[in-house]
């Protein structure tokens, strides 16, 4: 039976190419992603090891206990401790450091790599006896020597278009600073090479910014030859004050840094795995369809094997051996392609501003096992059902006919199971329409409902094929006899047609559903920003620890083209045991910059002891305009009665509570601080780069501040949605490729089955063009069938799941992206026509006499 399987593979190798390609694609993504993950992790570890090369032990201050002053706790790291550590046996050299974080502006005044706050590194340039810092070798210029000078790494200089002598604006934790760039260094720090920035100051300046004068944030020790890191770490720990400082080996620091960077960039590795899962799921239908058709074509052969003594198990084993051989071939090819994918993924996922680490490919055992397991497993499982079905056919019955009718039992099971699954899946999704709550439980229910709905559509597809294709046939009949033949060919085996269309159906449903959700969410975010914001620009902070200089408010107000500039102080207020956000505003200007829909009261009455609350807060605490509520504002531990002067509909710009700015600032955790500036211009809502540049200049080009118009706010809020849409189009490409392979494979095998029929058509007068048109129309009919089912399922799922988004965003409503949906339909039809090109050409090339004579 093994020899029989091998001969069958070799005999039908041309027909199995598409199957191998489909499985190969899924294996390539799985193995490529795993190799990429292992390789990038190894590259991060290597980069971290290089960064900590020569560092045996690092001494740092421990976190101060509650109530202790941080500067008093870290004062242990001083020059006296540096001298003590130098005398520890086994210490070759001591290098103190003063490290922190600094965000830089590029040459054009825009913040550099604002989304990578975790990798905005700053440090002291600490020269050794030779006047050079071995950790940061100079590439160009000289080291910073006073508070007005700065050095950066070469990557930062290139990304920011910075040159020696340029003024560089930067900020560490608040006010903006301007320093002259005097040096460019190289670094092996994996955080910087992963897309971060590096700013170097002279030692005194770094101590003032990140520690205290004369003190450090860490002390690095190198070991003498023959001294082990752990041994030296134990010696250093023994002489440190146990409650104030600790020692960590260099290898432990390298491992921790590699882990941290790997976690920050882990999203890069998840995306290809999603593609792999989708490609394997859709490709499995192609494999099932291919083996079903192959088994059907070999019915007489299988019957002969049964007649000469082969058992049912041997028949099943023969088909499974064939699937195993194909799976091994697909896995091997997929693994090779996966290595190519792994080698180019750093270039695809990384950019010049956000590079990913490069290094040799690491081929671990899990990548090889996954490639074999996925490729062989999918192929063998997909072939198991057709093989069992073939083995159950009686030898005499199989000898009588080359094509067996579908089993009545299976048809009855399908007719019962399909509607049941449809009701269960649709019921789960419909039950969510009233939930309006995007909780984890509801999201899991939505995913389960969508999965059950997809399975129901797959089960019902053969039953729906006849009525839907007859409906589509009303259009193909306009092409005359070729259109009629195309329809009949598609209806000849509804199971085969449904299996061929399933791949396109799933990809269309996925794309249509995500497109509707993405478009609806984008419009909701746009509407929310427009509904809640009356200002044209919002100047805000990038982190919660940063505040805006109150003096900047007047500079913004004096900027040409600005009509109104209102400062907002954001803090918190405790009401009834729950914490609410509170926005401190000016009562006389708040209406110009916020679109507040009052249900009662007046904002003109805001002042000390008087607040306004949103409808949700008013409902939760049972208060209305004119009522009083007990609350504690900001850092104040004293609760007092506040009078509610107004109630407004929920507004994301205004938080849950509004108060007077003076009172909120007085009680905030940073007294007198400002967190936002809302700007209304004279242009009536029109924005421009010139206005944005003037506003940035007014706030000192502080890179810790962001100047955003309404569109920028919407883009920021829709960041995840944008990633989702990118994923959607990537999945569309995969679905298109695999669906095309399925249609090509099905039509090619169908043409082989209908050789005599095609010969008869040619013999009675149909020309080659008519044959080609018939095959193409058949493919378009199958593609249209899959597209219609996919659109129906995708739109229904989007409608049901959309209610969860409506709970998170009151402005959410279903908005169909007609352009995208039309593009999907046209693309699907184009897939069918394109996929039919090769089978149609082959059919038209058949000789009429040879085709009719074929047994």
């Amino acid at each position: 039976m093994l020899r029989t399987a091998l001969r069958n593979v070799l005999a039908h190798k041309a027909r199995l190419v598409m199957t191998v390609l489909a499985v190969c694609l899924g294996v390539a993504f799985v193995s490529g992603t795993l190799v990429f993950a292992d390789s990038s992790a190894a590259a991060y570890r290597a980069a971290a090891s290089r960064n900590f090369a020569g560092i045996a032990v690092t001494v740092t201050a421990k976190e101060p206990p509650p109530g202790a002053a941080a500067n008093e706790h870290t004062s242990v790291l001083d020059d006296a401790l540096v001298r003590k550590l130098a005398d520890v046996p086994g210490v070759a050299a001591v290098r103190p450091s003063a490290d922190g974080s600094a965000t830089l502006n590029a040459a054009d005044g825009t913040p550099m790599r604002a989304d990578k706050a975790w990798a905005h590194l700053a440090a002291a340039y600490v020269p050794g006896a030779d006047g050079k810092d071995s950790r940061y070798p100079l590439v160009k210029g000289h080291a910073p020597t006073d508070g007005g000078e700065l050095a950066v790494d070469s990557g930062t200089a290139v990304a920011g278009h910075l040159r020696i002598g340029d003024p560089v604006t930067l900020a560490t934790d608040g006010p903006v600073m301007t320093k002259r760039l005097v040096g460019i260094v190289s670094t092996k720090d994996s955080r910087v090479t992963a897309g971060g920035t590096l700013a170097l100051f002279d030692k005194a300046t770094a101590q003032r910014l990140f520690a205290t004068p004369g003190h450090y944030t860490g002390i690095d020790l190198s070991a003498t030859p023959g001294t082990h890191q752990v041994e030296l770490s134990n010696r250093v720990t023994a002489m440190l004050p146990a409650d104030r400082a600790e020692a960590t080996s260099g290898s432990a620091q390298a491992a921790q840094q590699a882990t941290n960077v790997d976690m920050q960039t882990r999203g890069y590795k998840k995306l290809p795995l999603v593609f792999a899962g989708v490609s394997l799921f859709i490709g499995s239908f192609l494999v099932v369809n291919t083996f079903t058709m192959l088994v059907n074509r070999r019915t007489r052969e299988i019957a002969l094997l049964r007649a000469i003594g082969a058992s049912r198990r041997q028949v099943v084993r023969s088909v499974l051996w064939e699937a195993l051989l194909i799976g091994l071939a697909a896995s091997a090819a997929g693994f090779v392609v996966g290595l190519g994918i792994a080698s180019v993924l750093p270039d695809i996922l990384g950019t010049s501003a956000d590079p990913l680490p490069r290094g040799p490919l690491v081929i671990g055992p899990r990548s090889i096992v996954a490639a074999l397991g996925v490729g062989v497993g999918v192929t063998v499982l997909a072939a198991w059902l057709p093989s069992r079905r073939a083995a159950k056919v009686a030898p005499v019955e199989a000898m009588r006919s080359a094509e067996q009718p579908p089993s009545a039992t299976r048809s009855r099971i399908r007719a019962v199971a399909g509607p049941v699954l449809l009701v269960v899946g649709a019921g789960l999704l419909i039950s969510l329409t009233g939930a309006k709550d995007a909780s984890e439980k509801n999201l899991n229910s939505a995913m389960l409902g969508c999965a059950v709905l997809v399975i129901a559509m797959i089960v019902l597809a053969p039953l729906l094929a006849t009525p839907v294709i007859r409906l589509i046939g009303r259009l193909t009949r306009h092409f005359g006899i070729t259109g009629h033949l195309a329809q009949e060919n598609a209806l000849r085996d509804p199971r085969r047609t449904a299996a061929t269309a399933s791949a396109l159906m799933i990809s269309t449903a996925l794309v249509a559903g995500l497109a509707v959700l993405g478009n609806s969410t984008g419009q909701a975010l746009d509407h929310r920003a427009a509904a809640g914001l009356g200002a044209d620009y919002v100047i805000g902070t990038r982190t919660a620890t940063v505040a805006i200089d109150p003096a900047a408010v007047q500079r913004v107000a004096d900027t040409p083209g600005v009509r109104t500039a209102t400062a907002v102080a954001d803090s918190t207020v405790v009401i009834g045991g729950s914490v609410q956000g509170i926005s401190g505003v000016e009562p006389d200007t708040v209406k110009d910059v916020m679109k507040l829909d009052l249900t009662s009261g007046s904002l003109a009455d805001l002042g000390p002891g008087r607040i306004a609350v949103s409808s949700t807060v008013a409902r939760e605490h049972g208060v209305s305009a004119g009522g009083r509520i007990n609350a504690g504002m900001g850092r104040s531990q004293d609760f007092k009665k506040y009078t509610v002067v107004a109630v407004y509909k929920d507004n994301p710009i205004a938080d849950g509570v509004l108060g007077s700015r003076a009172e909120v600032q007085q009680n905030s955790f940073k007294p007198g601080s400002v967190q936002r500036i809302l700007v209304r211009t004279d242009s009536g809502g029109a924005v421009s780069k010139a206005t944005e540049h003037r506003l940035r200049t007014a706030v000192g080009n502080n890179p810790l501040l962001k100047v955003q118009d309404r569109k920028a706010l919407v883009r920021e809020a829709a960041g995840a949605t944008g990633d989702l849409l990118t994923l959607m189009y990537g999945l569309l490409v995969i679905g298109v490729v695999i669906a095309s392979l399925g249609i090509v494979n099905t039509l090619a095998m169908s043409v082989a089955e209908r050789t005599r029929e095609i010969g008869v058509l040619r013999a009675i007068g149909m020309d080659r063009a008519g044959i080609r048109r018939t095959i193409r129309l058949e493919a378009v009919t199958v593609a249209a069938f899959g597209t219609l089912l996919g659109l129906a399922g995708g739109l229904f799922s989007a409608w049901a799941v959309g209610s969860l988004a409506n709970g998170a965003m009151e402005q959410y409503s279903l908005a169909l992206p007609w352009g995208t949906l039309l593009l999907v339909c046209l693309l699907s039809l184009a897939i069918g026509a394109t996929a039919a090109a090769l089978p149609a050409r082959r059919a038209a090339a058949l000789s009429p006499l040879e085709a009719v004579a074929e047994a």
Side-chain angles (χ1 to χ4, degrees):
M1 298 307 292
L2 177 59
R3 286 198 299 270
T4 301
L6 182 59
R7 288 175 180 175
N8 280 327
V9 171
L10 296 176
H12 303 107
K13 52 183 176 295
R15 300 172 191 170
L16 297 173
V17 168
M18 302 302 174
T19 305
V20 172
L21 287 176
V23 179
C24 174
L25 187 63
V27 172
F29 275 110
V30 170
S31 60
T33 301
L34 294 177
V35 171
F36 166 68
D38 292 341
S39 301
S40 59
Y44 282 131
R45 287 193 296 269
S49 297
R50 289 193 299 270
N51 183 44
F52 287 94
I55 299 178
V57 177
T58 295
V59 177
T60 55
K62 286 187 175 181
E63 289 292 329
N71 58 347
E72 292 180 2
H73 200 72
T74 58
S75 62
V76 65
L77 303 182
D78 55 11
D79 290 321
L81 181 60
V82 171
R83 289 189 292 270
K84 287 183 181 179
L85 292 173
D87 294 333
V88 173
V91 173
V94 181
R95 182 190 182 279
S97 60
D99 300 338
S101 175
T103 306
L104 285 71
N105 276 340
D108 61 0
T110 58
M112 291 186 61
R113 301 171 182 175
D115 60 332
K116 290 186 176 288
W118 57 273
H120 290 167
L121 307 184
Y125 187 91
V126 183
D130 59 355
K132 299 179 180 179
D133 190 335
S134 58
R135 182 176 294 186
Y136 305 113
L138 276 166
V139 175
K140 192 175 182 180
H142 64 83
T145 56
D146 58 51
E149 296 180 342
L150 176 77
V152 300
D153 69 287
S154 54
T156 300
V158 171
H161 303 286
L162 303 174
R163 297 178 298 180
I164 297 293
D166 286 351
V168 180
T169 55
L170 69 150
T172 54
D173 60 355
V176 67
M177 299 176 284
T178 301
K179 299 185 182 297
R180 187 168 64 91
L181 183 63
V182 298
I184 296 176
V185 303
S186 63
T187 179
K188 298 176 182 177
D189 196 307
S190 56
R191 294 167 294 179
V192 180
T193 56
T197 60
L198 173 66
L200 294 177
F201 306 90
D202 67 286
K203 186 171 72 171
T205 301
Q207 287 178 320
R208 176 173 55 82
L209 290 173
F210 309 123
T212 54
H215 297 88
Y216 307 98
T217 59
I219 303 173
D220 298 328
L221 311 177
S222 60
T224 57
T227 303
H228 194 273
Q229 288 187 2
V230 176
E231 179 185 358
L232 183 60
S233 178
N234 292 335
R235 293 176 188 170
V236 171
T237 299
M239 56 85 58
L240 292 175
D243 60 332
R244 300 176 65 188
E246 60 184 348
T248 308
S249 67
S251 57
Q253 293 180 82
Q256 183 60 47
Q257 187 179 108
T259 301
N260 292 340
V261 176
D262 183 61
M263 290 179 62
Q264 294 289 346
T265 57
R266 186 166 293 173
Y268 289 118
K269 303 167 190 175
K270 293 181 179 179
L271 190 62
L273 279 177
V274 176
F275 290 130
V278 172
S279 62
L280 286 171
F281 181 65
I282 299 177
S284 62
F285 292 96
L286 191 158
V287 179
V288 171
N289 203 26
T290 300
F291 272 94
T292 299
M293 295 178 70
L294 285 175
V295 169
N296 286 341
R297 290 211 68 196
R298 301 212 308 267
T299 303
R300 286 177 180 257
E301 175 189 324
I302 293 172
L304 180 60
L305 290 173
R306 293 289 312 283
I308 63 176
S311 66
R312 291 184 176 181
R313 287 187 177 181
Q314 286 178 310
V315 171
V316 172
R317 282 196 210 117
S318 174
V319 178
L320 293 183
W321 271 113
E322 188 174 340
L324 176 63
L325 294 173
I326 294 171
L328 288 172
S331 299
F335 189 77
V336 173
V337 175
L339 295 180
I341 291 175
S343 64
V344 301
L345 274 178
D347 295 326
I348 295 174
L349 299 178
T351 64
S352 59
D354 300 309
L356 292 180
R358 301 303 299 263
L361 293 180
V362 176
I363 304 175
R366 71 166 185 165
S367 303
I368 300 174
V369 171
L372 290 173
V374 168
V376 175
V378 168
T379 310
V380 172
L381 287 176
W384 178 70
L385 188 59
S387 67
R388 287 192 66 227
R389 190 182 303 155
K392 289 181 180 180
V393 178
V396 175
E397 184 181 357
M399 287 285 193
R400 187 181 303 122
S401 172
E403 185 173 350
Q404 300 299 319
S407 168
T409 302
R410 287 198 301 271
S411 298
R412 285 194 295 269
I413 293 174
R414 189 185 298 274
V416 173
V420 170
L421 290 171
L422 184 65
V423 170
V424 172
L428 281 172
L429 293 176
I430 292 175
S431 67
L432 297 173
T433 56
K436 297 186 181 299
D437 177 17
S439 64
E440 183 177 355
K441 178 182 178 181
N442 286 336
L443 288 174
N444 290 335
S445 298
M447 293 175 62
L448 177 62
C450 290
V452 174
L453 186 64
V454 168
I455 296 173
M457 292 171 64
I458 294 171
V459 173
L460 287 173
L463 303 179
L464 297 173
T466 299
V468 174
I469 289 177
R470 291 198 183 282
L471 180 64
I472 298 171
R474 295 183 179 181
L475 298 177
T476 58
R477 286 173 190 168
H478 291 290
F479 292 91
I481 188 62
T482 55
H484 179 76
L485 287 173
Q487 176 186 330
E488 293 304 317
N489 288 335
L491 290 173
R492 178 174 298 181
D493 190 342
R495 291 177 302 167
R496 180 191 303 173
T497 299
T500 304
S502 292
L504 194 58
M505 176 188 71
I506 295 170
S507 58
T508 302
L510 183 66
V511 172
L514 291 177
V516 171
L517 289 173
N519 187 65
S520 303
T521 303
Q523 291 196 17
L525 291 170
D526 193 5
H527 178 70
R528 184 170 72 173
L533 182 65
D536 301 317
Y537 290 93
V538 176
I539 302 175
T541 62
R542 297 190 182 278
T543 62
T545 59
V546 177
I548 301 174
D549 181 6
V553 180
Q554 189 58 48
R555 294 198 300 270
V556 171
D558 294 337
T559 300
V562 172
R563 189 175 80 184
T564 304
T566 299
V568 179
D570 293 321
S571 187
T572 58
V573 60
V574 180
I575 303 176
S578 64
V579 179
Q580 301 286 342
I582 182 171
S583 299
V585 298
E586 297 289 351
D588 55 342
T589 59
V590 64
K591 290 184 178 180
D592 289 337
V593 293
M594 291 185 184
K595 294 181 179 179
L596 294 169
D597 189 357
L598 297 180
T599 60
S600 61
S602 172
L603 294 177
D605 298 327
L606 283 175
R610 299 189 297 275
I611 60 175
V613 298
S614 67
S615 299
T616 298
V617 174
R619 183 175 60 255
E620 290 177 350
H621 299 283
V623 69
S624 58
R628 292 174 65 80
I629 192 169
N630 196 40
M633 187 180 297
R635 60 188 174 86
S636 174
Q637 300 297 316
D638 298 327
F639 280 71
K640 67 177 184 178
K641 291 290 185 180
Y642 284 86
T643 300
V644 177
V645 298
V647 177
Y648 54 90
K649 290 185 177 179
D650 289 16
N651 188 310
I653 304 299
D655 285 333
V657 182
L658 284 177
S660 67
R661 180 160 70 95
E663 185 175 21
V664 173
Q665 283 180 313
Q666 180 182 353
N667 292 283
S668 69
F669 294 96
K670 289 187 175 182
S673 64
V674 173
Q675 280 67 44
R676 288 180 288 167
I677 304 176
L678 306 184
V679 180
R680 188 82 176 267
T681 64
D682 295 328
S683 59
V687 297
S688 66
K689 287 291 183 183
T691 303
E692 181 180 339
H693 178 72
R694 287 196 293 269
L695 293 176
R696 287 189 182 279
T697 302
V699 294
N701 284 320
N702 192 327
L704 296 179
L705 303 182
K706 49 188 178 181
V707 179
Q708 298 173 295
D709 57 24
R710 297 186 191 186
K711 289 184 178 180
L713 289 169
V714 172
R715 285 196 302 270
E716 182 180 64
T721 303
D723 295 339
L724 187 64
L725 291 176
T726 301
L727 174 63
M728 176 192 72
Y729 290 115
L731 296 177
L732 172 62
V733 171
I734 290 179
V736 165
V737 171
I738 298 180
S740 300
L741 294 176
I743 294 174
V744 170
N745 212 24
T746 300
L747 288 177
M749 300 180 75
S750 179
V751 166
E753 289 178 356
R754 301 203 305 264
T755 301
R756 276 193 169 190
E757 175 187 322
I758 293 171
V760 171
L761 291 174
R762 294 280 285 120
I764 62 176
M766 181 174 282
D767 57 10
R768 296 178 186 269
I771 296 294
R772 287 195 296 268
R773 190 181 307 115
T774 300
I775 301 299
R776 283 197 296 266
L777 287 175
E778 181 182 350
V780 170
T781 299
V782 173
F785 171 59
T787 301
L788 287 176
L789 289 187
L791 284 175
L795 294 178
F796 176 79
S797 300
W799 167 76
V801 175
S803 63
L804 302 182
N806 183 255
M809 291 181 290
E810 190 175 320
Q811 297 84 356
Y812 182 92
S813 61
L814 193 68
L816 299 180
W818 294 107
T820 302
L821 297 178
L822 178 61
L823 179 63
V824 169
C825 294
L826 294 177
L827 185 59
S828 298
L829 298 179
I831 290 169
T834 304
L838 187 60
R841 183 178 178 182
R842 179 186 175 190
L846 289 173
S847 169
L849 293 179
E850 292 179 0
V852 172
E854 183 174 294

